[in-house]
Amino acid sequence: MANEKIISAIKKAAHDAGIKLSLDPYTFDSTLKSLNVDSLNAMSIIINAEKTLNVRLPDEDLANLKTLGDLIRSFEKLVK
């Protein structure tokens, strides 16, 4: 189960960026593109979530983000 703090930060980040994003567990394997999140929106979500969680995702993680689950797992590695 994904960390609720991370899920909450991503939900807030998406909302603050004006992006409607479903974060139900069944969508974790969905690509960001299939969730109608383009690269600009993805970066807005990531930057806002990084600020909320007080972490910075490594560039190599950013380059490999394809699914919502990838994003969540990247934050999980940094948030204890």
Side-chain angles (χ1 to χ4, degrees):
M1 183 81 165
N3 182 318
E4 290 302 316
K5 180 178 178 180
I6 294 168
I7 298 295
S8 178
I10 293 172
K11 280 182 183 178
K12 181 182 181 321
H15 181 268
D16 290 350
I19 302 161
K20 187 173 177 118
L21 183 63
S22 171
L23 290 175
D24 297 320
Y26 66 87
T27 63
F28 288 4
D29 289 330
S30 299
T31 63
L32 296 174
K33 185 176 182 178
S34 73
L35 296 170
N36 296 318
V37 177
D38 63 21
S39 59
L40 184 59
N41 287 338
M43 286 311 299
S44 292
I45 292 169
I46 291 165
I47 290 167
N48 288 335
E50 286 176 331
K51 288 178 184 176
T52 299
L53 296 168
N54 199 29
V55 297
R56 172 125 168 100
L57 293 180
D59 290 342
E60 57 272 6
D61 282 5
L62 294 174
N64 295 315
L65 293 178
K66 302 286 186 255
T67 67
L68 184 56
D70 293 341
L71 179 60
I72 292 166
R73 285 186 290 279
S74 292
F75 278 115
E76 284 178 331
K77 289 190 275 184
L78 301 173
V79 177
K80 303 296 179 206

